[in-house]
């Protein structure tokens, strides 16, 4: 089964925000959010000056990374 996920990327460094609110260069280790508003709120509250991008894609539930 596919589900839509959202990940947050810090534009300045290209790193992704993890589930624990740290940074990683690995998309596989990026934290997944499942609600677009939650992704926006998380980005606003954790990345300075709106310097972020939110990416959305579909992945199989079995493909979700283990955090």
């Amino acid at each position: 089964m596919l589900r839509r996920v959202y990940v947050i990327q810090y534009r300045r460094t290209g790193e992704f925000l993890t589930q624990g609110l740290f940074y990683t260069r690995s998309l596989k280790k990026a934290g997944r959010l499942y609600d677009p508003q939650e992704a926006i709120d998380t980005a606003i509250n954790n990345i300075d000056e709106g310097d972020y991008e939110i990416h959305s894609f579909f992945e199989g539930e079995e493909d979700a990374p283990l955090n």
Side-chain angles (χ1 to χ4, degrees):
M1 175 177 222
L2 292 178
R3 63 181 170 182
R4 181 181 288 263
V5 298
Y6 300 86
V7 296
I8 302 165
Q9 185 178 29
Y10 186 23
R11 284 193 296 215
R12 187 171 304 158
T13 65
E15 295 176 308
F16 297 96
L17 201 58
T18 67
Q19 182 178 358
L21 301 177
F22 297 104
Y23 293 98
T24 181
R25 292 185 181 181
S26 170
L27 177 59
K28 186 174 185 177
K29 294 179 181 179
R32 268 61 172 167
L33 296 126
Y34 304 100
D35 177 82
Q37 189 59 52
E38 184 180 6
I40 292 167
D41 293 343
T42 300
I44 289 170
N45 291 321
N46 292 284
I47 298 183
D48 297 331
E49 302 172 17
D51 193 19
Y52 62 84
E53 291 183 9
I54 297 174
H55 303 281
S56 175
F57 52 91
F58 289 91
E59 70 181 3
E61 290 184 21
E62 66 279 358
D63 296 332
L66 299 174
N67 290 333

